[in-house]
Amino acid sequence: MNREDTVKNRHFLADKRWVFPLFIAGLIAGVILTSSFMKSADSSLLCSVANIRSSSQAVAENSATPIQLQAIVHYATSRIVPQQSFGEISVTLDVLKKRSPCNFLVFGLGYDSLMWTSLNPNGNTTFLEEDPKWVQTVLKDAPSLHAHPVKYRTQLQEADRLLTHYRSEPSCFPSEAYLRGNEKCKLALTGFPDEFYDTEWDLIMIDAPRGYFPEAPGRMAAIFSAAVMARNRKGPGVTHVFLHDVDRKVEKTFAEEFLCRKYLVKSVGRLWHFEIPSAADMSSHGGANFC
């Protein structure tokens, strides 16, 4: 390869690193345009039936939110990309297109947080992060994000013992399980912000806490608690739960134990998507097993 070809190849590789961030920025812009078009069409239809909206109000509703504009600029000018692949992101995006604005709970605060918030405009997107210093770092550049630092009381190395504990502790059983103040059930997330317990979450993304070394919190309690919240849902419809890193043993084992294979509706890459009905909508919801 001559010098000219080498230079061209280096330029190609450098340009390639920009492809995904630009694609994410384009994705967000596309969602804004699509949403705006659909809302404009709905507004026109409603106005033809009854003049209930002013044109200025319709324009305001169809405008991009500040967080969406910030996300477009951020991803268009940064080489730092979201942790998930485009295929994995698309699974959640398809649900957000139908459910947004909604209550979206995300375990983990990361490089994709601006994206998730912008894809749920006018909704409530809340992030839970185990590292308080990281929360400060992220919010310094994106203060409009809604995030809480939280503490977990489990460790990855306890995974097997936690499964044994759950099977013998009545306060962990699906018919009895609750979260706030449930100290007896070691898998229940306790001591979290009130918003975590008081909000009925439509979508739950589990992409944290850390689960790749023995002393890490692991995602056991997050998976269990997501299942409990979904089963206790009072509103209509299912709870969408997205679990990342299912190639790891603990994530897969706890997903099959609490989120249930029968509720798994899609699998892309390392992401599983579950649609979990409330206990009231289940044909059978008694006993000591979630599935």
Side-chain angles (χ1 to χ4, degrees), residues 107 152-153 179-180 187-192 196-197 221-222 224-225:
F107 285 87
Y152 294 88
R153 52 180 183 148
L179 300 182
R180 186 174 2 218
L187 281 169
L189 291 175
T190 60
F192 274 38
F196 173 73
Y197 306 105
F224 171 84
S225 297

Side-chain angles (χ1 to χ4, degrees), residues 127-291:
F127 302 91
L128 304 176
E129 172 57 43
E130 63 182 293
D131 185 350
K133 291 184 179 179
W134 179 242
V135 173
Q136 294 176 4
T137 298
V138 174
L139 294 186
K140 182 179 179 181
D141 294 328
S144 55
L145 292 179
H146 186 42
H148 296 287
V150 294
K151 291 184 179 181
Y152 294 88
R153 52 180 183 148
T154 57
Q155 290 187 342
L156 184 65
Q157 60 191 353
E158 301 173 317
D160 291 338
R161 294 196 297 274
L162 287 169
L163 275 181
T164 302
H165 161 75
Y166 132 73
R167 291 168 180 151
S168 61
E169 173 51 59
S171 64
C172 292
F173 293 175
S175 58
E176 304 292 334
Y178 62 98
L179 300 182
R180 186 174 2 218
N182 189 354
E183 300 296 336
K184 290 184 178 180
C185 180
K186 296 178 181 178
L187 281 169
L189 291 175
T190 60
F192 274 38
D194 288 340
E195 180 185 11
F196 173 73
Y197 306 105
D198 296 338
T199 304
E200 191 158 85
W201 303 102
D202 304 302
L203 279 73
I204 302 174
M205 171 73 72
I206 305 173
D207 205 0
R210 292 172 295 175
Y212 54 87
F213 59 95
E215 295 77 20
R219 299 179 186 173
M220 302 83 66
I223 294 171
F224 171 84
S225 297
V228 171
M229 289 189 288
R231 293 174 64 93
N232 291 341
R233 183 180 182 85
K234 299 297 188 294
V238 300
T239 301
H240 296 268
V241 179
F242 307 89
L243 176 63
H244 199 224
D245 297 317
V246 294
D247 55 318
R248 301 195 301 213
K249 179 183 177 181
V250 168
E251 276 80 355
K252 184 176 181 180
T253 299
F254 275 72
E256 292 178 337
E257 183 70 37
F258 298 111
L259 302 179
C260 310
R261 279 274 184 179
K262 62 184 176 182
Y263 300 133
L264 178 63
V265 295
K266 200 159 191 177
S267 173
V268 175
R270 295 181 294 136
L271 184 84
W272 280 357
H273 171 205
F274 298 85
E275 292 183 0
I276 304 178
S278 67
D281 294 332
M282 295 179 181
S283 56
S284 175
H285 55 85
N289 297 315
F290 279 75
C291 302

Side-chain angles (χ1 to χ4, degrees), residues 40 43-44 47 51-63:
S40 295
S43 179
S44 297
C47 286
N51 188 18
I52 60 174
R53 287 185 181 179
S54 67
S55 58
S56 59
Q57 181 184 1
V59 169
E61 290 178 355
N62 294 333
S63 299

